[in-house]
Amino acid sequence: ARRCGAGKEGWGRPRGLWGLMLLLSVAVYGSHAPLLTLCKVDGTIPFSSSSVVVLVELTKLVLSLFFLLTWDRQLLGVAVSWHHVVPFALSALLYAANNNLVVHMQLFMDPSTYQVLSNLKIVSTALLYSLFLRQRLCMRKWLALFLLMAAGVSYSLGGLQDPQDSSSPSRMQLHITLVGLLLISVYCLISGLSAVYTEAILKTQALPLSLQNLFLYFFGVLLNLIGHFWSSTEKGFLEGFSSWVLVIVVSQALNGLIMSVVMKHSSNITRLFVISCSILVNAVLSVMLFNLQLTLLFFVAVLCIGLAVHLYYGVT
């Protein structure tokens, strides 16, 4: 008997299209940090990160409306009531809360500590996925997920090294306060909860995905606009924008739409594997663009990811 839970997620769709979407998502996740680096002026980000989030949500909203009018026009007459719409408000609120947490956490820990500890959201997402969606995962698949977390930790601890920097990854000093530890725990919990809750809504409602996205991103634009003006930085809404920022907005919007397809037709576990595999793209771009060097920890991360994929999807 082969009962290990969630074994063939997502494979009901055409394999070629499915594979292309996942590869594109891996590329977008992996290129995000290098693109942010290319945007820097004198070592700092010249634009408001909250305005970028608003534009990403707005782009997703416009694209969702376009897909609804283009591909799902025959479904426009589907009966929709307030109980279809309201759940997406909570989903958008959870995502917005996490976006703000990421910013505030930096005050209580160094970036390296954040990169290492944020990998705990793999475990929190898997636990909530198993608990709330009642998807039983066997020990082999739990081992695969822990290997994914180990890969993220290894890469964060020093998978890349600047040859001009005399400091070694092995001598990295991590620092976090008690408040920071609490915030990172809340962050990982909300990260898993928002993803699993959104997946549950997308799968239980008998509505076209483009219409569901329309609800989700409407609230996303609204809440992030409120957050942007609430924080009211001195920078103008589009101040410091460049062509690289436009690339970030478009790529992140497309990736968000792909992830909604993944959660609708596959699962958050697939999303976790996509995010982990993006380490490879991040490393290649960092070596090519910034002349960074791969370290032993990078190859440890690659080995862990390979074993995780084999254990979760390859063993029968």
Side-chain angles (χ1 to χ4, degrees), residues 23-316:
L23 285 174
L24 179 59
S25 187
V26 168
V28 172
Y29 272 118
S31 62
H32 183 60
L35 283 173
L36 281 177
T37 303
L38 290 172
C39 290
K40 288 183 177 179
V41 176
D42 296 327
T44 60
I45 299 292
F47 54 84
S48 167
S49 58
S50 61
S51 62
V52 170
V53 173
V54 171
L55 288 175
V56 170
E57 293 297 302
L58 183 60
T59 304
K60 289 189 286 189
L61 179 66
V62 171
L63 288 174
S64 297
L65 180 60
F66 171 78
F67 293 144
L68 181 64
L69 296 176
T70 305
W71 293 341
D72 295 321
R73 184 178 297 177
Q74 71 279 10
L75 299 173
L76 286 176
V78 66
V80 176
S81 66
W82 65 269
H83 69 265
H84 288 117
V85 180
V86 170
F88 290 101
L90 177 56
S91 184
L93 183 62
L94 289 170
Y95 282 123
N98 242 28
N99 288 337
N100 283 283
L101 261 180
V102 170
V103 176
H104 292 298
M105 281 191 301
Q106 311 299 322
L107 301 174
F108 303 97
M109 68 189 78
D110 62 281
S112 299
T113 303
Y114 165 72
Q115 290 296 330
V116 172
L117 294 181
S118 63
N119 289 287
L120 290 170
K121 65 186 178 184
I122 293 176
V123 174
S124 66
T125 302
L127 282 170
L128 292 168
Y129 171 79
S130 179
L131 179 63
F132 290 114
L133 298 183
R134 298 181 181 179
Q135 297 291 330
R136 180 180 174 274
L137 302 178
C138 64
M139 289 303 297
R140 190 186 76 236
K141 295 197 170 184
W142 277 113
L143 176 59
L145 293 170
F146 277 107
L147 282 170
L148 277 191
M149 187 177 71
V153 170
S154 296
Y155 190 71
S156 301
L157 282 173
L160 294 170
Q161 184 178 17
D162 187 348
Q164 307 299 323
D165 191 351
S166 58
S167 63
S168 168
S170 62
R171 293 200 295 269
M172 179 185 294
Q173 297 295 313
L174 302 181
H175 170 72
I176 185 170
T177 66
L178 186 59
V179 174
L181 197 58
L182 176 63
L183 288 177
I184 195 74
S185 301
V186 173
Y187 166 78
C188 291
L189 178 63
I190 295 179
S191 178
L193 184 61
S194 58
V196 172
Y197 174 73
T198 303
E199 179 181 342
I201 300 171
L202 293 175
K203 286 182 173 175
T204 54
Q205 289 186 356
L207 294 176
L209 179 59
S210 51
L211 183 58
Q212 292 176 309
N213 282 338
L214 205 62
F215 300 150
L216 175 61
Y217 301 135
F218 167 77
F219 288 114
V221 171
L222 181 63
L223 290 172
N224 282 288
L225 263 178
I226 293 172
H228 171 77
F229 290 112
W230 185 275
S231 58
S232 63
T233 58
E234 293 183 3
K235 294 178 180 176
F237 189 81
L238 297 178
E239 183 180 340
F241 273 45
S242 65
S243 56
W244 287 120
V245 181
L246 180 61
V247 172
I248 289 175
V249 169
V250 173
S251 62
Q252 290 299 309
L254 288 174
N255 197 39
L257 293 172
I258 291 173
M259 284 298 102
S260 68
V261 175
V262 168
M263 287 191 283
K264 177 84 167 180
H265 299 287
S266 182
S267 74
N268 269 291
I269 302 300
T270 303
R271 184 181 66 89
L272 293 177
F273 274 90
V274 167
I275 294 172
S276 294
C277 289
S278 69
I279 287 173
L280 309 178
V281 175
N282 179 270
V284 170
L285 290 177
S286 297
V287 169
M288 292 174 57
L289 296 174
F290 312 119
N291 297 317
L292 299 182
Q293 293 179 345
L294 303 178
T295 69
L296 178 61
L297 287 174
F298 166 76
F299 296 102
V300 171
V302 171
L303 178 62
C304 288
I305 292 172
L307 285 173
V309 171
H310 177 65
L311 284 173
Y312 200 92
Y313 294 105
V315 178
T316 57

